Amino acid sequence: AQSVTQPDIHITVSEGASLELRCNYSYGATPYLFWYVQSPGQGLQLLLKYFSGDTLVQGIKGFEAEFKRSQSSFNLRKPSVHWSDAAEYFCAVEPIGTASKLTFGTGTRLQVTL
Amino acid sequence: NAGVTQTPKFRVLKTGQSMTLLCAQDMNHEYMYWYRQDPGMGLRLIHYSVGEGTTAKGEVPDGYNVSRLKKQNFLLGLESAAPSQTSVYFCASVRLKNTGELFFGEGSRLTVL
C-alpha cells in the first residue's frame, strides 16, 4: 500500500544544535516529495520540494532535504536550530500526475529548548 | 493579498445540524482542496476541485459535500454533522503549473457535540 511514514512523533533539540527529521515513503514510482511546516494555530507552509535532479534540495528558513532513492527517504535537515523553528513538520508526497493531491505523513512536532 | 481565507474560523454544532465552510482564494489558482487534520493522523484529503464546476472525492469524503461554482471559492458542507467530524479543516489551493506548492488557509475548528 502507498504510504508516507514519519517515525518520530516528537523531537526535542537544543537551540543551536543540528536537526534531522525522518521521512520514508512507499510508492511504486518515485513521487514528488515535499516538506511543510505548521506553526501553532496556523496553516501549513511549504519549506521545500523535490521533483528530480540534484538529490539535495534547499528550502526556506535554512532547511534542506536529501532524497535517497535506495532508502525511499526524504529527510529534512537544518545545521543549527533556532527557537522559532519550534513547530510541526509534515512530509508529503504527490504521485506524479495526480493533480497535486498530496498525501501527508502524520507529522513530527519539534520542540526547541533554550 | 489575502491568499486563502476560510470562514468561519470556529464553530460548534450539535449532532445532526448542518453547516457550510467557505474557502476563498484571490490568487487565481486552478486547483482547490479540503483537508481535515486530526491528532496523530496528519492531514487527510476530503474533496478537491481541478476547476470551476468540477469536484472529486479524496480519501475521506463520506459525510461531506462540496461545490465550486466560482473559481475563487470552494465550499465544504456537512449535511448532518456527527461527533466524528470534530476536527480542524484546512482549505488549500495551488496553481496548475506549480504542482504540489499548496497555499493553505489558517484552518476552521469545528466541534460537533
Side-chain angles (χ1 to χ4, degrees):
Chain A
Q2 299 177 336
S3 65
V4 181
T5 302
Q6 293 181 246
D8 303 306
I9 297 173
H10 187 216
I11 284 182
T12 300
V13 299
S14 300
E15 189 174 40
S18 63
L19 171 70
E20 182 169 24
L21 302 182
R22 297 182 290 166
C23 174
N24 294 94
Y25 64 90
S26 174
Y27 279 81
T30 300
Y32 297 145
L33 299 161
F34 308 85
W35 276 99
Y36 280 79
V37 60
Q38 182 182 32
S39 298
Q42 301 295 313
L44 281 70
Q45 179 185 20
L46 179 67
L47 279 177
L48 47 78
K49 61 187 179 184
Y50 173 78
F51 290 170
S52 64
D54 193 347
T55 57
L56 186 64
V57 294
Q58 303 296 321
I60 62 172
K61 305 184 181 186
F63 284 92
E64 65 181 25
E66 184 173 14
F67 168 62
K68 292 185 177 180
R69 184 186 305 274
S70 61
Q71 300 178 17
S72 296
S73 69
F74 188 56
N75 293 350
L76 182 71
R77 302 196 296 241
K78 187 169 185 179
S80 178
V81 170
H82 188 262
W83 64 267
S84 60
D85 293 324
E88 190 152 22
Y89 293 81
F90 292 92
C91 180
V93 305
E94 176 194 347
I96 297 172
T98 59
S100 290
K101 285 168 50 184
L102 300 189
T103 297
F104 288 85
T106 52
T108 297
R109 181 166 298 279
L110 173 65
Q111 183 177 357
V112 180
T113 57
L114 300 176
Chain B
N1 188 343
V4 179
T5 303
Q6 295 181 224
T7 53
K9 290 185 169 40
F10 300 93
R11 183 75 187 269
V12 178
L13 289 178
K14 295 181 180 179
T15 297
Q17 288 185 320
S18 64
M19 75 159 295
T20 300
L21 296 176
L22 170 63
C23 176
Q25 53 96 2
D26 60 3
M27 298 172 284
N28 203 34
H29 286 173
E30 292 85 358
Y31 295 173
M32 296 187 73
Y33 311 82
W34 276 107
Y35 284 89
R36 61 177 289 173
Q37 183 178 30
D38 302 290
M41 303 190 73
L43 279 79
R44 293 179 292 169
L45 182 63
I46 305 171
H47 286 281
Y48 66 102
S49 168
V50 299
E52 183 177 319
T54 70
T55 63
K57 295 180 180 180
E59 179 186 357
V60 289
D62 293 344
Y64 305 95
N65 56 76
V66 289
S67 64
R68 193 164 176 205
L69 300 179
K70 295 182 179 180
K71 185 177 183 179
Q72 64 268 33
N73 295 339
F74 194 29
L75 278 64
L76 177 70
L78 286 72
E79 291 186 347
S80 180
S84 61
Q85 294 177 303
T86 293
S87 187
V88 181
Y89 293 85
F90 287 95
C91 177
S93 68
V94 66
R95 188 177 302 278
L96 175 61
K97 68 180 181 67
N98 293 341
T99 185
E101 298 180 34
L102 272 60
F103 285 79
F104 282 82
E106 295 187 343
S108 297
R109 182 176 294 276
L110 174 65
T111 301
V112 182
L113 303 177

